[in-house]
């Protein structure tokens, strides 16, 4: 991977930690941010080395969302012709795909959020599995405040996480939702006094996840995400197929034995992936 400019990435004991590291720009999102995030997620998905991922940030805010100057430069939104407006669809589909990578990643993703989580940052964190926040964190669907509809995942994923009426209030008004309210509604799992305490908890959770059989964690994420988007009957049927595909007597025995012996279990990593076009 080329040197990252918007992030730093480390992997320790199978726990990946991706940090937004442009605090001077409030970790705003622009084409380079998008490109680097997409590349990192693709690498983590393919390699199989990391068994969990924590995404945190630096500076005053987690992220102030989309860099507005981008729309006046790198991204041109042509609303003057049907062809130009059709191209907006394709542009957004490409942008949405990057955050969908988080949702589809083979490993669980924990978001560690402090300060402002604004606009595009809400799109990003709603694609995660677990969200921790500091007491000063807040969430804002900023897009309505600048005359547009949130379009990279917030309006699709947030209703799966908190009451629909709350989503509508936030989306229609652009109001800030505090960490305390986010905890009440179930958007975040826990609120911490300091960023240090939050990050320690996120990394500890990631470490616990990484200690389980990776293929069982993979299967669990597959099942939960499928159940989120399908009926109970369909999800139970999918669960039968899934369990039949990945069941391992060896993993169960090792898990039970390790628990009794009070030691870490030893499990094989997920198989590294290759694109079909790279084979041969």
């Amino acid at each position: 991977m080329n040197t990252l400019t918007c992030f730093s990435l480390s992997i320790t004991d199978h726990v990946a930690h991706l940090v937004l590291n442009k605090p001077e720009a409030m970790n705003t999102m622009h084409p380079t941010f998008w490109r680097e995030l997409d590349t990192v997620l693709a690498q983590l998905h393919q390699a199989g080395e990391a068994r969990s991922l924590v995404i945190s940030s630096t500076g005053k805010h987690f992220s102030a969302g989309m860099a507005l100057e981008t729309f006046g430069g790198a991204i041109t939104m042509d609303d003057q012709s049907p062809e130009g407006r059709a191209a907006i669809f394709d542009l957004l589909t490409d942008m949405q795909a990057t955050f969908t990578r988080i949702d589809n990643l083979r490993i669980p993703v924990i978001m560690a959020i402090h300060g402002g989580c604004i606009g595009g940052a809400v799109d990003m964190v709603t694609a995660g599995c677990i969200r921790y926040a500091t007491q000063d964190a807040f969430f804002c669907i900023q897009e309505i405040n600048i005359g547009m509809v949130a379009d990279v995942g917030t309006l699709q994923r947030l209703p799966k996480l908190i009451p629909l009426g709350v989503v509508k209030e936030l989306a229609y008004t652009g109001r800030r939702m505090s960490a305390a309210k986010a905890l009440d509604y179930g958007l975040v799992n826990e609120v911490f006094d300091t960023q240090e305490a939050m990050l320690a908890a996120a990394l500890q959770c990631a470490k616990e996840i990484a200690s389980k059989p990776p293929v069982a964690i993979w299967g669990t994420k597959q099942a939960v995400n499928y159940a989120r988007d399908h009926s109970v009957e369909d999800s139970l049927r999918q669960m039968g197929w899934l369990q039949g595909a990945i069941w391992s007597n060896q993993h169960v025995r090792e898990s039970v034995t390790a628990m009794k012996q009070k030691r870490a279990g030893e499990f094989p990593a997920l198989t590294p992936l290759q694109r079909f076009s790279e084979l041969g």
Side-chain angles (χ1 to χ4, degrees):
M1 183 186 297
N2 295 329
T3 301
L4 299 173
T5 61
C6 299
F7 302 88
S8 63
L9 175 67
S10 60
I11 302 178
T12 304
D13 297 330
H14 301 295
V15 173
H17 186 193
L18 183 65
V19 183
L20 284 64
N21 69 350
K22 282 288 187 181
E24 69 280 4
M26 293 191 292
N27 297 297
T28 49
M29 301 172 172
H30 43 74
T32 302
F33 177 102
W34 233 268
R35 186 163 54 250
E36 291 186 358
L37 178 61
D38 197 74
T39 299
V40 167
L41 294 172
Q43 182 196 48
L44 291 172
H45 186 78
Q46 291 170 8
E49 177 186 0
R51 301 181 179 184
S52 57
L53 168 64
V54 173
I55 299 180
S56 68
S57 190
T58 54
K60 184 178 180 180
H61 297 297
F62 179 81
S63 171
M66 185 65 72
L68 296 182
E69 63 272 15
T70 297
F71 289 102
I75 295 178
T76 301
M77 306 283 266
D78 174 15
D79 65 353
Q80 299 304 301
S81 69
E83 293 79 13
R85 292 190 293 273
I88 294 174
F89 170 87
D90 292 311
L91 174 67
L92 287 176
T93 299
D94 186 56
M95 294 175 70
Q96 291 164 355
T98 295
F99 289 161
T100 297
R101 278 192 186 274
I102 297 173
D103 205 7
N104 292 341
L105 205 63
R106 293 199 286 169
I107 58 177
V109 181
I110 302 171
M111 300 289 181
I113 305 154
H114 75 281
C117 182
I118 302 166
V122 179
D123 293 301
M124 183 168 76
V125 303
T126 54
C129 300
I130 297 168
R131 283 160 292 277
Y132 291 155
T134 56
Q135 62 181 356
D136 70 339
F138 65 88
F139 301 82
C140 177
I141 303 176
Q142 178 72 358
E143 287 85 349
I144 198 65
N145 293 327
I146 58 172
M148 60 178 286
V149 179
D151 55 10
V152 198
T154 289
L155 301 184
Q156 293 68 42
R157 293 191 173 97
L158 197 57
K160 306 283 188 178
L161 301 171
I162 65 176
L164 185 59
V166 178
V167 176
K168 290 182 176 181
E169 180 182 6
L170 296 172
Y172 297 160
T173 66
R175 293 175 182 170
R176 294 181 177 186
M177 179 171 61
S178 68
K181 282 289 187 183
L183 180 63
D184 287 343
Y185 291 131
L187 178 60
V188 300
N189 294 55
E190 193 169 349
V191 174
F192 298 85
D193 290 338
T194 66
Q195 188 176 357
E196 292 75 16
M198 172 188 65
L199 188 55
L203 290 169
Q204 176 58 34
C205 182
K207 183 178 179 181
E208 290 180 40
I209 292 169
S211 72
K212 315 298 183 184
V215 74
I217 292 292
W218 174 87
T220 300
K221 183 172 181 179
Q222 293 284 327
V224 170
N225 283 2
Y226 190 92
R228 176 193 64 196
D229 300 327
H230 295 79
S231 70
V232 172
E233 183 178 358
D234 287 345
S235 299
L236 286 170
R237 186 176 296 108
Q238 183 256 5
M239 186 67 250
W241 295 332
L242 177 62
Q243 191 73 297
I246 66 171
W247 175 265
S248 169
N249 291 327
Q250 181 181 350
H251 291 173
V252 173
R253 283 195 299 268
E254 172 62 9
S255 295
V256 173
T257 301
M259 195 185 322
K260 288 180 178 178
Q261 296 178 353
K262 297 181 179 180
R263 61 171 175 81
E266 296 183 6
F267 307 103
L270 293 175
T271 301
L273 302 177
Q274 281 186 285
R275 297 178 64 185
F276 182 76
S277 59
E278 297 170 344
L279 299 176

